[in-house]
Amino acid sequence: MVRRGLAAVRTIVAVRPPIERQGMAFADHPHITEFVEFIGELGDAARRVLRERHDDSRFETKEDQSPVTEFDRGVEAALRAMIHERFPAHGIIGEEFPPERADAEFVWIMDPIDGTKSFVAGVPVFTTLVALCQSGAPVLGMMDASVSQDRWLGVQGRPTTLNGREVSTSERTELDGATLSWSQPDNVLEEHREGLRTLMTRAAWSVFGAASYGFGRLAAGAIDIAAYSGGIGAYDVCALVPIIEGAGGVITDGDGAPLTTRNPRACVAAATPELHAQALDVLNGPGSRLHGGAGMQAIG
């Protein structure tokens, strides 16, 4: 397959139109206030548990070799119980337990501790991610950092807020000299290895291991590009979509397609459409999946 050029990528990453239901944008949904208040309650519940537990080193290893703690499971179970009580017809997708009613119109999707390795190590950049998806598309997202007590809220069609104040991306349009947050340099799809090296070379500087917190800093204008490649699920990225878009940025999967409740192979966010298109074009260079590449390796 011929490699997509920059112009083609620009077309793919056009800003998504608002999800409409019977002619109604999500921001005008009659229950929007209730949804927004409730996602805040979910964040409060997670924060109460995690704020005092960020230095607990006990963990188990899952089949995919990632760590999990009693707090991952405990927080997710508590949030699921709250959703069952308030919105019994809604679906739920989480990292630690099987999905429930995943084909419902409204589905809550969550990662109780995004950055479990940081949580176990006592590095306070882990967050709780919760999204509400309508017909598969993320329309409401919250990221709560329990230790720093930072909370991002994104509502489709409204400006993103950080601790109640509106934030926006850096508006940077050029890749050279941009700043980069890459969460997992030890877990990168082979097809993206060369592209990541190029991104790192062209960036002014890079930070690693921030997970979703790096995307939050992008929304706040402190970082220009944030990305994952491999080893992620929809629960890692859905909450980020309204947050990044509401701050003026662009976020898609690694091929430039919209993120949904389906698990992506990669995720790329940037401050502007122009910068996002350049980042995708570099990441999907020779050796990408479009050329038949496969596998996952560490950058070495």
Side-chain angles (χ1 to χ4, degrees):
M1 182 179 296
V2 178
R3 181 185 171 200
R4 294 172 300 171
L6 182 60
V9 174
R10 288 182 189 276
T11 301
I12 291 174
V13 302
V15 176
R16 292 187 300 131
I19 297 297
E20 295 188 356
R21 178 174 177 265
Q22 297 179 346
M24 180 186 302
F26 177 74
D28 298 323
H29 193 282
H31 297 297
I32 183 68
T33 299
E34 184 179 8
F35 291 152
V36 170
E37 290 177 351
F38 181 65
I39 205 170
E41 294 172 13
L42 295 176
D44 291 343
R47 182 183 290 190
R48 283 193 294 270
V49 175
L50 298 178
R51 186 166 52 193
E52 304 300 329
R53 302 289 185 173
H54 59 89
D55 58 353
D56 193 301
S57 60
R58 294 169 295 175
F59 69 95
E60 301 172 24
T61 301
K62 295 190 285 190
E63 290 184 2
D64 64 359
Q65 300 305 305
S66 65
V68 62
T69 72
E70 63 180 287
F71 300 104
D72 293 86
R73 298 186 180 112
V75 170
E76 183 169 325
L79 301 191
R80 283 174 176 259
M82 293 172 67
I83 295 168
H84 289 154
E85 181 177 358
R86 183 74 68 88
F87 300 109
H90 287 192
I92 304 174
I93 297 174
E95 182 172 11
E96 308 304 338
F97 299 103
E100 305 174 43
R101 297 178 295 281
D103 59 349
E105 179 187 4
F106 285 105
V107 176
W108 297 88
I109 184 164
M110 67 188 74
D111 188 348
I113 304 178
D114 183 67
T116 300
K117 293 177 183 177
S118 294
F119 177 81
V120 170
V123 179
V125 295
F126 57 87
T127 67
T128 296
L129 298 174
V130 182
L132 178 62
C133 296
Q134 183 181 19
S135 302
V139 291
L140 174 62
M142 180 212 65
M143 175 166 57
D144 187 79
S146 58
V147 179
S148 65
Q149 299 187 51
D150 288 322
R151 179 173 297 174
W152 286 261
L153 178 67
V155 183
Q156 188 185 73
R158 296 182 183 178
T160 292
T161 60
L162 169 57
N163 300 328
R165 300 181 63 179
E166 291 184 12
V167 292
S168 60
T169 61
S170 68
E171 300 183 354
R172 185 179 186 87
T173 59
E174 295 299 325
L175 176 58
D176 292 325
T179 54
L180 169 68
S181 174
W182 191 281
S183 182
Q184 302 179 85
D186 61 337
N187 192 22
V188 179
L189 293 171
E190 184 178 0
E191 67 205 56
H192 292 151
R193 296 179 72 204
E194 201 60 42
L196 172 56
R197 289 193 186 96
T198 303
L199 286 174
M200 291 167 57
T201 299
R202 295 179 63 177
W205 47 263
S206 305
V207 294
F208 301 96
S212 58
Y213 202 93
F215 288 79
R217 298 312 301 161
L218 189 156
I223 289 174
D224 302 314
I225 302 167
Y228 290 110
S229 173
I232 58 173
Y235 40 75
D236 292 302
V237 298
C238 279
L240 305 176
V241 174
I243 291 171
I244 297 296
E245 292 182 345
V250 177
I251 181 170
T252 69
D253 72 8
D255 295 322
L259 293 162
T260 69
T261 52
R262 294 186 177 184
N263 289 333
R265 290 166 49 81
C267 172
V268 179
T272 60
E274 296 87 350
L275 183 59
H276 184 269
Q278 293 171 64
L280 275 183
D281 202 42
V282 169
L283 189 64
N284 288 304
S288 74
R289 184 166 63 91
L290 299 177
H291 297 265
M296 187 163 15
Q297 299 184 25
I299 291 294

